[in-house]
């Protein structure tokens, strides 16, 4: 098997963009990954790189290397040798919301000079880095507020400047904030286990009708205290589902808790279930404040809140929907949300069903 054939096949199959430029900056060759990353009508070969990559840093790096290679005669004394054409250059570019690490390597063969570019797509790496930064910042922020309150109220009590009649009030504030911190930490641990797959999801036939009825019953007092009607519509003969009962109960509880929290007094929260093909669909519908369209893509992110101040006031940790997403996906299920600001929201989960004979 010929060496050139092997090399050509390797370049074609690379998950890195490879492109060769001449001294005018025109494309002489581009592998399939590059063409797919920067689609241009009629192809990229023969066209100037600046026509489809607008990044000024890359343009300057190409111009500098061409000037150096053509004018310097190609001493090959650069950092990477770069095909004996001079120094290689590594830069990071942002092109149309996608991030690339670009390595520019000078090429010289006799009197002919050009550039070889390797473009590695690091968009996903950047996204993960941003999530990690946001996560650390959010955890710090979420814990700082209750910690500051606990510290302030406890120091006041320790100073002895509060009469006994008000001490119980201060202790209740400390207890409330300590409870909030405990809930955040518990949810973080659950989410961490779900994301790292160290919390096993043990699937068995689950009577979803019984699960929904018992979970709904546990929220009757919360709804009644807020003046909200909590209703249900679960048909007779509903098939069971294949899943982990405790985790599925956690999903339904999180959805009901959110629905009640964000529905004003006098509103209604309705939970229903239907069989749809090989799945059971559970809907939690409310007449609450709703979710703006621009926030919909992010509502299942950790700590993301549509109304941050109101959510904290209601005691939310900002992790409930992230937990719901991971549990549902862990059951090979699906999530769907419909919402209209000022009208309400419907959260739907679809979980694989089991035949009645298997229950």
């Amino acid at each position: 098997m010929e060496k050139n054939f092997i090399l050509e096949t390797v370049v074609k199959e690379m998950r890195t963009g490879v492109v060769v430029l001449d001294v005018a900056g025109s494309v002489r060759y581009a592998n399939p990954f590059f063409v797919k990353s920067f689609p241009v009508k009629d192809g990229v070969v023969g066209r100037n790189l600046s026509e489809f990559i607008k990044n000024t840093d890359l343009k300057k790096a190409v111009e500098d290397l061409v000037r150096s290679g053509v004018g310097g005669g190609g001493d090959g004394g650069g950092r990477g040798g770069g095909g004996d054409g001079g120094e290689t250059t590594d830069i990071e570019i942002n092109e149309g919301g996608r991030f690339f690490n670009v390595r520019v390597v000078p090429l010289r063969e006799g009197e002919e000079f050009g550039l070889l570019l390797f473009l590695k797509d690091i968009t996903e790496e950047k996204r993960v880095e941003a999530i990690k930064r946001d996560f650390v910042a959010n955890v710090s922020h979420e814990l700082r507020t209750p910690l500051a309150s606990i510290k302030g109220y406890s120091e006041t009590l320790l100073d002895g400047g509060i009469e006994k009649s008000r001490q119980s009030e201060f202790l209740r504030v400390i207890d409330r904030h300590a409870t909030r911190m405990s809930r955040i930490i518990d949810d973080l641990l659950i989410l961490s286990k779900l994301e790292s797959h160290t919390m096993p999801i043990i699937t068995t036939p689950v009577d979803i009708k019984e699960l929904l009825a018992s979970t709904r019953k546990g929220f009757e007092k919360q709804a009644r205290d807020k003046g909200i009607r909590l209703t249900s519509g679960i048909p007779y003969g509903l098939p069971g589902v294949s899943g982990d009962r405790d985790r599925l109960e956690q999903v339904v509880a999180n959805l009901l808790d959110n629905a009640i929290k964000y529905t004003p007094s006098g509103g209604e929260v309705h939970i229903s279930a239907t069989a749809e093909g090989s799945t059971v669909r559970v809907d939690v519908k409310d007449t609450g404040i709703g979710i703006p369209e621009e926030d919909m893509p992010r509502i299942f992110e950790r700590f993301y809140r549509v109304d941050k101040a109101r959510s904290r006031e209601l005691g939310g940790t900002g992790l409930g929907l992230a937990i719901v997403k991971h549990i549902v996906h862990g059951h090979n299920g699906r999530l769907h949300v419909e919402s209209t600001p000022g009208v309400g929201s419907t959260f739907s989960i679809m979980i694989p069903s089991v035949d009645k004979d298997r229950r």
Side-chain angles (χ1 to χ4, degrees), residues 66-245:
V66 167
R67 191 181 303 113
S68 173
V70 173
D75 295 332
R79 285 171 289 175
D84 295 332
E87 290 191 354
T88 62
T89 298
D90 295 283
I91 61 174
E92 185 178 296
I93 69 171
N94 179 359
E95 191 69 23
R98 297 175 66 190
F99 293 88
F100 294 87
N101 269 336
V102 185
R103 185 172 180 82
V104 188
V105 182
L107 290 173
R108 180 178 294 280
E109 185 178 13
E111 295 300 316
E112 192 174 358
F113 181 80
L115 294 175
L116 176 62
L117 276 62
F118 297 94
L119 295 91
K120 180 183 177 183
D121 192 334
I122 58 169
T123 306
E124 180 62 17
E125 295 174 26
K126 286 287 187 179
R127 188 186 71 82
V128 172
E129 286 176 10
I131 289 174
K132 289 179 178 178
R133 285 196 304 271
D134 290 345
F135 178 69
V136 172
N138 283 324
V139 169
S140 301
H141 180 74
E142 294 294 335
L143 294 178
R144 186 183 297 118
T145 301
L147 272 174
S149 295
I150 290 171
K151 183 173 177 59
Y153 279 92
S154 60
E155 285 177 348
T156 303
L157 286 171
L158 289 170
D159 288 342
I162 297 296
E163 58 271 20
K164 283 190 175 182
S165 60
R166 294 196 62 199
Q167 287 181 6
S168 59
E169 175 189 342
F170 275 47
L171 289 171
R172 278 194 296 272
V173 173
I174 291 172
D175 180 68
R176 185 173 73 249
H177 285 292
T179 300
R180 171 167 167 70
M181 284 182 61
S182 179
R183 288 186 60 197
I184 292 173
I185 292 169
D186 287 344
D187 280 355
L188 281 171
L189 290 173
I190 290 170
L191 192 56
S192 175
K193 289 179 180 179
L194 287 168
E195 291 180 337
S196 62
H197 304 289
T198 56
M199 178 180 283
I201 293 178
I202 304 170
T203 57
T204 59
V206 176
D207 186 341
I208 191 68
K209 184 174 181 179
E210 181 277 327
L211 184 151
L212 296 177
S214 63
T215 307
R216 172 190 176 280
K217 190 173 181 63
F219 283 89
E220 286 178 349
K221 183 179 185 302
Q222 181 180 337
R224 188 169 56 250
D225 290 346
K226 197 176 176 183
I228 293 172
R229 296 185 305 279
L230 181 56
T231 60
S232 62
I234 304 170
Y236 178 78
L238 186 71
V241 300
S242 178
D244 186 314
R245 192 191 189 286

Side-chain angles (χ1 to χ4, degrees), residues 171-338:
L171 289 171
R172 278 194 296 272
V173 173
I174 291 172
D175 180 68
R176 185 173 73 249
H177 285 292
T179 300
R180 171 167 167 70
M181 284 182 61
S182 179
R183 288 186 60 197
I184 292 173
I185 292 169
D186 287 344
D187 280 355
L188 281 171
L189 290 173
I190 290 170
L191 192 56
S192 175
K193 289 179 180 179
L194 287 168
E195 291 180 337
S196 62
H197 304 289
T198 56
M199 178 180 283
I201 293 178
I202 304 170
T203 57
T204 59
V206 176
D207 186 341
I208 191 68
K209 184 174 181 179
E210 181 277 327
L211 184 151
L212 296 177
S214 63
T215 307
R216 172 190 176 280
K217 190 173 181 63
F219 283 89
E220 286 178 349
K221 183 179 185 302
Q222 181 180 337
R224 188 169 56 250
D225 290 346
K226 197 176 176 183
I228 293 172
R229 296 185 305 279
L230 181 56
T231 60
S232 62
I234 304 170
Y236 178 78
L238 186 71
V241 300
S242 178
D244 186 314
R245 192 191 189 286
D246 290 342
R247 300 283 76 82
L248 290 176
E249 184 176 6
Q250 190 173 13
V251 166
V252 177
N254 273 331
L255 294 179
L256 281 174
D257 186 49
N258 273 358
I260 293 170
K261 280 178 179 175
Y262 294 102
T263 298
S265 178
E268 180 180 0
V269 172
H270 183 74
I271 182 168
S272 61
T274 54
E276 291 187 352
S278 60
T279 66
V280 171
R281 174 177 177 140
V282 177
D283 296 316
V284 177
K285 183 177 182 179
D286 64 59
T287 57
I289 61 175
I291 305 166
E293 185 178 354
E294 61 269 22
D295 290 303
M296 291 286 280
R298 301 191 61 189
I299 59 174
F300 292 102
E301 292 180 14
R302 295 174 293 185
F303 291 116
Y304 189 79
R305 296 181 174 94
V306 176
D307 187 338
K308 294 178 174 59
R310 185 168 185 174
S311 181
R312 291 194 187 95
E313 180 185 333
L314 294 170
T317 64
L319 297 168
L321 289 181
I323 291 173
V324 165
K325 181 189 74 172
H326 282 284
I327 293 176
V328 171
H329 288 173
H331 281 77
N332 296 317
R334 292 178 290 121
L335 272 166
H336 179 70
V337 186
E338 292 182 0

Side-chain angles (χ1 to χ4, degrees), residues 24-41:
S26 296
V27 176
R28 296 280 298 276
Y29 169 83
N31 75 338
F33 186 86
F34 181 88
V35 174
K36 185 179 178 181
S37 299
F38 301 95
V40 179
K41 187 179 179 181

